């Protein structure tokens, strides 16, 4: 908190001690502006709400308007100096983001044709293509997305290509660490083996900060699908087995500590705290682990889930926005406030279980925290923490998993219209900070519950595409939406939609 000592000359004090009333005094506008410019955005906003003079000063001062608009847009100021990019430019771009993202009004569109049989995906600010190169080798191409917020125009994007001597099943990267992780599963003496490789993103040489450049472990079963989450010095490899069941390998690449988890799914809050979904005492739970020591995780808190989810599989949607412990990009003019991130839990019926409508449970990520003292509960009932959630019935025509970007959710549906035509519908769900609770009455009936303590009031905007092929997957970054279409003949259409101008 800012403390300011005013000089006595600022105040016109009465000359005799018997007077109990101060005569008129005034702090100059310049001094008030200088004070407000040193305050954090929330302090300026709250002060402006309380005092009309401050409110008028803020409205007349560009630097204070920008400071107040940041929290309203769910953003934090970036690291680029104002001398490099002036306030007026930043303010205009912030306004564009605030108005355009929730309405799906992108400013630029890039169309790509990726030849089959390449596999495509998004890792960080890059679009990747993975193609077979013959003799079990693989070619990987990475293309940077454009971003007005980062000062990267379409003709300034970076592209790199490298060859891998083996097949690649999954890859992810952390640009701030310069780390690229490549995962694959191969057969050795008729037994599946998982291999992780740690590469320098810029040189594709072995990553010097990792204690090993290559890690292998036997799996004991055929793998149907693999994915990798990277969080600082730790990563989680999720393995779906062909015969059923899922396991997660938690690995610290700094010291090679390893731990296997049998939870339905896992989700990093940061490098020391991990969420999982699992059944305890035949009831579904969200659990919070302390993973400061990977090989000795500690279950700290259990969060009960509703009984209607018994017999279902509950999984997390991936949130692609930077976490609270992520290093800010030094090129950013502004960035998403990580305290606004939401978690989306998806429930799905499992084979042999009772019939149940798939649901989305959405809650602020900051709700999950370790106990701060002996009075904090280590077992939290659903009646208690449901007050912090909003619940939606999963769209019946949903195609592929939803994509979460900070406090926004994107999803694709395939809708059948008259004459049998099938169209792709992209929908954005936004949770604005300054929203009107009365607007909840205009929501669709799919939103079955709005927790009174959640502070989340959803706004949904759809956009329909009439294209030659349907959209089968959606990815997102802070600046872009990436639509992956179904393959046509010998190529797959890709669209990159960029916000801001």
């Amino acid at each position: 908190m800012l403390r300011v000592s005013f000089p006595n000359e600022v105040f016109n004090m009465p000359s005799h001690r018997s007077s109990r009333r101060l005569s008129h005094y005034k702090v100059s506008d310049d001094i008030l502006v200088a004070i407000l410019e040193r305050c954090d955005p929330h302090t300026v906003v709250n002060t402006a709400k309380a005092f009309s003079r401050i409110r008028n000063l803020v409205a007349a001062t560009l630097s204070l308007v920008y400071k107040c608009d940041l929290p309203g847009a769910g953003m934090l100021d970036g690291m680029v100096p104002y001398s490099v990019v002036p306030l007026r430019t930043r303010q205009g771009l912030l306004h564009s983001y605030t108005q355009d993202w929730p309405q799906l009004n992108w400013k630029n569109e890039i169309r790509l044709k990726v030849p089959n049989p390449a596999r495509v995906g998004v890792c960080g600010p890059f679009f990747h293509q993975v193609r077979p190169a013959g003799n079990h080798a693989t070619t990987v191409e990475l293309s940077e997305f454009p971003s007005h917020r980062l000062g990267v125009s379409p003709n300034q994007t970076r592209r790199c290509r490298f060859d891998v001597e083996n097949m690649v099943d999954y890859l992810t990267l952390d640009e701030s660490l310069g780390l690229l992780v490549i995962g694959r599963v191969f057969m050795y003496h008729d037994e599946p083996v998982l291999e992780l490789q740690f590469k320098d993103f810029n040189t594709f040489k072995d990553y010097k900060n990792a204690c090993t450049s290559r890690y292998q472990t036997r799996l004991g079963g055929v793998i149907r699908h693999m994915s990798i989450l990277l969080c600082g010095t730790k990563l989680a490899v999720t393995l779906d087995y062909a015969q059923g069941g899922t396991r997660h390998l938690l690995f610290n690449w700094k010291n090679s500590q390893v731990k296997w988890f049998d939870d339905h799914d896992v989700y990093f809050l940061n490098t020391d705290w991990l969420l999982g979904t699992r059944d305890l005492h035949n009831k579904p739970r969200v659990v919070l682990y302390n993973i400061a020591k990977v090989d000795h995780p500690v279950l700290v808190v259990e969060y009960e889930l509703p009984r209607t989810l018994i017999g279902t599989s509950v999984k997390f949607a991936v949130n692609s926005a930077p976490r609270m412990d992520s290093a800010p990009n030094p090129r950013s003019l502004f960035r998403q406030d990580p305290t606004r991130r939401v978690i989306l839990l998806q429930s799905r019926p499992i084979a042999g279980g009772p019939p149940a409508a798939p649901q989305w449970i959405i809650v602020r990520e900051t709700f999950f925290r370790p106990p701060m003292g002996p009075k904090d509960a280590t077992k939290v009932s659903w009646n208690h923490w449901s007050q912090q959630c909003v619940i939606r019935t999963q769209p019946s025509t949903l195609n592929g998993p939803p994509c979460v970007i900070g406090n926004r959710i994107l999803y694709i549906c395939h809708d059948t219209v008259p004459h049998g035509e099938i169209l792709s519908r992209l929908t954005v769900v936004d949770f604005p900070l300054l929203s009107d609770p009365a607007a909840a009455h205009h929501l669709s009936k799919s939103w079955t519950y709005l927790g009174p303590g959640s502070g989340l009031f959803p706004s949904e905007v759809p956009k329909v595409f009439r294209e030659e092929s349907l959209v089968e997957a959606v990815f997102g970054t802070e600046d872009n939406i990436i639509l992956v279409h179904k393959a046509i003949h010998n190529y797959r259409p890709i669209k990159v939609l960029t916000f801001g101008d």
Side-chain angles (χ1 to χ4, degrees):
M1 183 175 66
L2 180 65
R3 298 180 181 272
V4 181
S5 298
F6 292 99
N8 292 333
E9 292 79 11
V10 172
F11 300 98
N12 182 15
M13 302 298 292
S15 58
H16 53 86
R17 302 172 68 180
S18 61
S19 175
R20 293 181 177 273
R21 185 175 62 86
L22 294 178
S23 63
H24 179 73
Y25 66 89
K26 183 177 181 181
V27 179
S28 73
D29 288 352
D30 291 342
I31 292 178
L32 279 178
V33 169
I35 294 170
L36 292 169
E37 285 180 336
R38 295 181 61 184
C39 295
D40 65 88
H42 293 284
T43 299
V44 177
V45 170
N46 293 332
T47 307
K49 287 180 180 178
F51 300 100
S52 60
R53 184 185 173 201
I54 301 297
R55 188 159 56 250
N56 294 333
L57 271 179
V58 168
T61 308
L62 181 61
S63 61
L64 297 180
V65 171
Y66 176 67
K67 186 183 285 281
C68 290
D69 284 349
L70 284 169
M75 298 286 184
L76 298 176
D77 204 6
M79 301 178 67
V80 176
Y82 291 173
S83 59
V84 176
V85 179
L87 270 170
R88 194 166 298 280
T89 302
R90 302 163 100 103
Q91 173 67 19
L93 185 58
L94 178 65
H95 179 76
S96 177
Y97 270 73
T98 305
Q99 298 299 313
D100 295 343
W101 245 113
Q103 298 300 320
L104 292 177
N105 292 326
W106 52 86
K107 298 298 185 181
N108 298 290
E109 180 176 319
I110 299 174
R111 294 180 177 241
L112 306 172
K113 291 183 178 181
V114 177
N116 288 329
R119 289 182 289 110
V120 299
V122 173
C123 49
F126 290 88
F127 175 76
H128 67 74
Q129 305 177 41
V130 179
R131 299 194 302 270
N135 295 325
H136 303 289
T138 304
T139 297
V140 176
E141 289 189 10
L142 296 173
S143 303
E144 187 178 25
F145 294 118
S147 168
H148 298 284
R149 188 180 55 86
L150 299 178
V152 181
S153 64
N155 59 357
Q156 293 176 318
T157 56
R158 293 171 290 170
R159 292 174 174 81
C160 58
R161 171 177 173 171
F162 48 85
D163 296 320
V164 184
E165 60 186 9
N166 306 113
M167 297 297 294
V168 173
D169 292 318
Y170 200 91
L171 63 86
T172 187
L173 66 86
D174 186 324
E175 187 185 15
S176 65
L177 296 173
L179 171 62
L180 178 69
V181 180
I182 298 174
R184 72 177 182 119
V185 175
F186 65 96
M187 301 298 292
Y188 182 75
H189 290 174
D190 296 327
E191 186 174 3
V193 175
L194 168 68
E195 180 182 80
L196 300 173
Q197 298 181 40
F198 302 94
K199 299 290 185 180
D200 186 299
F201 168 67
N202 298 301
T203 64
F204 200 61
K205 296 180 180 179
D206 292 343
Y207 191 65
K208 294 180 179 179
N209 294 330
C211 64
T212 178
S213 62
R214 197 178 298 245
Y215 171 81
Q216 295 182 348
T217 185
R218 297 184 180 184
L219 298 176
V222 178
I223 302 302
R224 176 175 55 86
H225 181 261
M226 175 178 68
S227 62
I228 303 174
L229 292 175
L230 181 59
C231 181
T233 60
K234 293 160 189 172
L235 57 87
V237 183
T238 296
L239 300 162
D240 296 326
Y241 285 79
Q243 68 269 30
T246 300
R247 299 195 77 195
H248 312 274
L249 174 72
L250 193 62
F251 182 76
N252 187 329
W253 52 261
K254 199 78 172 178
N255 56 23
S256 289
Q257 289 182 351
V258 176
K259 184 67 178 181
W260 284 96
F261 287 78
D262 291 319
D263 299 41
H264 294 304
D265 203 5
V266 294
Y267 181 97
F268 282 109
L269 292 178
N270 55 44
T271 55
D272 287 336
W273 296 96
L274 182 79
L275 290 176
T277 56
R278 61 185 301 182
D279 292 329
L280 290 174
H281 315 297
N282 296 319
K283 295 180 181 178
R285 296 281 193 275
V286 175
V287 291
L288 176 63
Y289 296 102
N290 183 334
I291 56 168
K293 295 182 179 179
V294 167
D295 52 352
H296 290 91
V298 179
L299 196 160
V300 178
V301 187
E302 298 177 20
Y303 301 88
E304 183 184 57
L305 285 166
R307 297 183 64 86
T308 54
L309 299 189
I310 293 177
T312 66
S313 172
V314 181
K315 297 196 172 185
F316 300 97
V318 176
N319 194 322
S320 62
R323 301 180 182 89
M324 280 186 279
D325 59 346
S326 299
N329 191 316
R331 298 180 296 167
S332 63
L333 299 182
F334 47 82
R335 60 190 175 93
Q336 283 197 346
D337 183 351
T339 64
R340 297 278 308 281
R341 285 166 54 104
V342 298
I343 289 177
L344 191 159
L345 287 158
Q346 303 170 264
S347 71
R348 297 176 183 174
I350 58 176
Q359 289 185 328
W360 291 353
I361 299 175
I362 303 164
V363 59
R364 290 191 187 277
E365 191 175 285
T366 51
F367 170 75
F368 297 101
R369 59 178 180 83
M372 304 302 292
K375 292 185 179 181
D376 284 359
T378 57
K379 294 185 179 181
V380 183
S381 70
W382 172 244
N383 286 337
H384 173 72
W385 79 278
S386 64
Q387 308 297 308
Q388 309 296 322
C389 302
V390 297
I391 301 177
R392 190 197 196 286
T393 302
Q394 180 173 287
S396 59
T397 58
L398 180 72
N399 190 80
C403 170
V404 184
I405 315 160
N407 67 329
R408 292 192 177 102
I409 300 170
L410 298 170
Y411 64 90
I412 289 289
C413 289
H414 288 171
D415 299 332
T416 303
V417 296
H419 309 296
E421 185 181 9
I422 301 178
L423 302 178
S424 301
R425 172 168 50 90
L426 169 67
T427 301
V428 60
V429 183
D430 194 50
F431 297 96
L433 181 64
L434 303 176
S435 53
D436 182 7
H441 297 294
H442 303 289
L443 287 174
S444 73
K445 294 182 180 179
S446 299
W447 294 94
T448 58
Y449 179 72
L450 301 180
S454 69
L456 298 172
F457 300 99
S459 169
E460 280 192 292
V461 173
K463 183 158 287 192
V464 175
F465 293 87
R466 291 181 178 270
E467 301 282 349
E468 185 178 358
S469 73
L470 293 172
V471 178
E472 64 177 7
V474 59
F475 300 94
T477 69
E478 292 180 85
D479 308 284
N480 302 277
I481 295 175
I482 301 90
L483 302 178
V484 179
H485 289 254
K486 288 187 175 180
I488 303 176
H489 308 302
N490 61 343
Y491 71 91
R492 182 182 300 276
I494 308 291
K495 281 202 293 237
V496 179
L497 315 175
T498 305
F499 293 85
D501 60 359

